[in-house]
Amino acid sequence: MVHRGYARRVEVGVLIAGAGPVGLSLACELGVEHRIVDSAPERAAVSRATDLHARSLELWDHTGVADEVLAAALPITGVPLFSGGREVARLDFGGIDSPFPAAVSLRQRELEELLREHLAGGVERGTPVQLVCQDEDGVVARVGSDEVRAGFLVACDGVHSGLREALGIPFEGGDYPGRWAVMDADIEGWPYGPGELPVFLDHEGFWAMPLPDARMRLFFRDDAAGEQPEMADAQGVIDRHVPGAPRIRGAENRACFSVHHRVARRFRAGRVLLAGDAAHAMTPVNGQGMNTGVQDAYNLAWKLRLALEGAPAAVLDSYEAERRPVALATVRASGELHDANVLSGAAAAARDRSLAAALASPAQVLAAVEAAHELPVAYRDSPIVGGDAPAGALGVLPGQRIADAGPVIRADGYATSLRELLRAPALQLWVCTGSAPAEFALALAERFTPAVRSTVLVIADRPPAAPPGVEALADPELRAHGRLGAVADAAYVVRPDGHLGFRCEPPNAARVAEHLSRIGVGA
């Protein structure tokens, strides 16, 4: 029926405004009734993001799209850093603690298409969202010609978010000086390897991202540019930096833009939440903007599911508590890198010496690469992370990301891994046995089914028989025990975003139940 000028009234669990990589990732992972819309009538002609990080690939692996992304993308092998015509340092991308490459290159448009194919429903384009009101039970928004009442509204509508502005949430920070240019160029005689991303450290801030189709994504400062950079200007930048006289034969995806460094003062206002560029904006120098937004999406998806089921307020409160400090730190670090990239004179010479010292050993390089790709991100101070571990405990501590390990053996003899366990879009309880009989661990795991997915890991060649609803896995080489730090018997509550929510040693049913109750899961 028509109501107050609307064509119809619609109810939905979650309304997502914005169908870029962040909104699409959220929709793919959400697992509840939702509607995803975008005010633009079609996808943007200019493809901005290309740098996809290992942590994003790990999260897309939960959704089942990571292998397709890898098949379409080009792995980045390293970043040589040049200053004054000399290579002053190099970041080699091998050896990171992930089953995925540290970074791969794929245009945003192609990534969006892969994500869209994994949606249960479609994307409604040319459909703006206007916030009407909200109360303690939901949000009312005008979506095109519809009146939509949603349990929650997530603003993934970009740097210039109309929903953030409507809520009056300050977007604190500023803009970097100058105009910046981007284009995808077909270059003859390019002297660097197909997976190398050279960065040239001077006032032009020039770097070149290799693309899967053999073109190069050129990014450089161009204060005099209009709406689009000219190929002649890009050729001049190449002539000043790249040896061997490579020539641009053609270019597409040309655009100019300003670069921002901003973080929203709040990531949540009642039942409206901000994610991605609507919550934080940063320089593209380190390729972290979209990837940080993807982590927002996976952090939020499972919390929205619990909130719709009546979870305590602390669950959604934890979204801002966990993700805003990450955004602040990432914006600050990327800003420092941006500023360092464009130094000149004595300051540039001092920077070069510092880089050479900071990246002098493989261990230093590995730590820098993993940090730049957000693999160490943890939520130790989160209001919904708990438990403890003995002093000096090894392995994964509460709040940290769980990395892959294996093999672990199923009852049918199939070898699996922690990576495959993490694909389950559910809270999980993992119980690792050491000296205690497996029967105790199996009984503890059974106690919490079906509220969580329960798995028992035993040190054996074959797993024992397990009660209904519990999976027993053998860890013959102690790879999973070692990764988790299960020197003694231990219990772990694993979040759907792959971070450890709770750990206790020895396993204690009352403590596990108390933690699950804190996040609204009864057992």
Side-chain angles (χ1 to χ4, degrees):
M1 100 182 148
V2 176
H3 178 70
R4 291 187 301 171
Y6 296 106
R8 58 176 181 164
R9 300 182 69 186
V10 180
E11 293 190 4
V12 68
V14 178
L15 175 62
I16 303 170
V22 176
L24 289 168
S25 294
L26 178 62
C28 287
E29 182 68 5
L30 200 50
V32 298
E33 182 188 15
H34 65 272
R35 187 173 178 182
I36 178 168
V37 304
D38 198 297
S39 61
E42 56 186 24
R43 288 185 295 156
V46 175
S47 180
R48 292 284 177 88
T50 56
D51 192 356
L52 315 184
H53 291 177
R55 184 56 184 147
S56 296
L57 290 163
E58 289 179 353
L59 294 169
W60 287 323
D61 193 43
H62 298 180
T63 302
V65 73
D67 288 341
E68 295 171 34
V69 172
L70 284 177
L74 173 70
I76 303 302
T77 57
V79 177
L81 301 167
F82 297 96
S83 177
R86 115 178 9 101
E87 183 177 311
V88 295
R90 174 179 287 264
L91 292 165
D92 289 317
F93 279 11
I96 66 165
D97 190 10
S98 174
F100 296 98
V104 299
S105 169
L106 185 68
R107 289 183 180 87
Q108 180 175 325
R109 286 177 59 87
E110 293 158 22
L111 169 66
E112 289 175 358
E113 183 61 26
L114 292 174
L115 290 169
R116 189 194 61 76
E117 290 174 357
H118 275 255
L119 287 179
V123 174
E124 300 174 46
R125 293 201 166 273
T127 309
V129 175
Q130 180 181 356
L131 179 64
V132 176
C133 64
Q134 63 170 311
D135 54 37
E136 61 182 18
D137 297 318
V139 179
V140 177
R142 180 163 193 148
V143 181
S145 60
D146 294 344
E147 180 189 70
V148 175
R149 182 170 181 85
F152 296 96
L153 168 59
V154 184
C156 305
D157 52 342
V159 171
H160 304 292
S161 170
L163 289 169
R164 185 191 62 238
E165 294 177 2
L167 291 165
I169 297 176
F171 203 32
E172 297 170 333
D175 304 321
Y176 293 100
R179 293 270 288 169
W180 296 83
V182 65
M183 68 174 65
D184 295 349
D186 180 8
I187 304 176
E188 182 179 18
W190 188 252
Y192 305 105
E196 287 193 315
L197 195 170
V199 174
F200 303 90
L201 305 171
D202 66 15
H203 69 282
E204 289 182 303
F206 173 43
W207 50 262
M209 166 74 80
L211 296 169
D213 61 2
R215 288 185 173 87
M216 302 299 302
R217 167 69 56 89
L218 307 179
F219 176 88
F220 56 94
R221 186 166 173 175
D222 190 353
D223 292 345
E227 289 299 313
Q228 292 186 346
E230 298 297 329
M231 283 197 297
D233 295 329
Q235 183 65 61
V237 173
I238 289 175
D239 292 343
R240 288 189 288 275
H241 294 88
V242 181
R247 307 303 298 172
I248 297 178
R249 298 304 183 192
E252 60 182 19
N253 194 49
R254 292 186 289 159
C256 292
F257 51 89
S258 299
V259 178
H260 317 282
H261 54 95
R262 297 179 183 273
V263 178
R265 186 179 296 175
R266 292 178 292 151
F267 281 19
R268 179 186 175 199
R271 286 180 169 257
V272 184
L273 302 105
L274 310 180
D277 288 350
H280 43 73
M282 62 195 76
T283 170
V285 165
N286 220 23
Q288 292 177 314
M290 182 201 69
N291 291 282
T292 302
V294 170
Q295 293 187 52
D296 292 344
Y298 279 83
N299 184 285
L300 183 56
W302 68 277
K303 297 174 181 178
L304 287 171
R305 290 198 299 270
L306 290 179
L308 288 169
E309 296 171 0
V315 172
L316 271 189
D317 289 343
S318 74
Y319 171 66
E320 179 177 311
E322 292 178 359
R323 293 305 300 165
R324 190 168 186 273
V326 172
L328 288 167
T330 305
V331 168
R332 180 175 60 253
S334 65
E336 291 170 355
L337 181 62
H338 179 102
D339 293 341
N341 276 14
V342 295
L343 295 174
S344 58
R351 174 206 59 211
D352 295 347
R353 294 191 297 271
S354 295
L355 275 174
L359 302 174
S361 72
Q364 289 172 300
V365 170
L366 181 61
V369 170
E370 291 195 340
H373 294 83
E374 300 182 79
L375 292 175
V377 166
Y379 308 125
R380 298 178 185 87
D381 299 323
S382 169
I384 63 165
V385 166
D388 51 41
L394 302 174
V396 186
L397 301 179
Q400 292 181 337
R401 154 188 166 265
I402 299 172
D404 190 27
V408 289
I409 311 301
R410 297 191 329 199
D412 60 5
Y414 177 83
T416 184
S417 65
L418 297 187
R419 172 186 171 186
E420 291 196 34
L421 292 182
L422 290 169
R423 286 174 172 159
L427 280 163
Q428 301 188 54
L429 172 64
W430 296 352
V431 185
C432 290
T433 65
S435 58
E439 289 75 15
F440 169 78
L442 293 167
L444 176 66
E446 186 181 21
R447 157 78 171 78
F448 292 98
T449 58
V452 298
R453 176 176 173 170
S454 296
T455 302
V456 172
L457 294 141
V458 301
I459 301 171
D461 292 327
R462 287 289 183 268
V470 176
E471 182 173 28
L473 298 172
D475 186 17
E477 300 174 20
L478 281 75
R479 298 295 176 82
H481 279 69
R483 169 68 76 183
L484 296 170
V487 175
D489 303 312
Y492 304 83
V493 176
V494 180
R495 303 175 2 161
D497 61 358
H499 286 260
L500 185 61
F502 176 84
R503 172 176 174 173
C504 67
E505 299 175 31
N508 183 293
R511 297 190 63 201
V512 172
E514 188 276 334
H515 173 74
L516 293 176
S517 177
R518 285 176 57 198
I519 58 176
V521 178

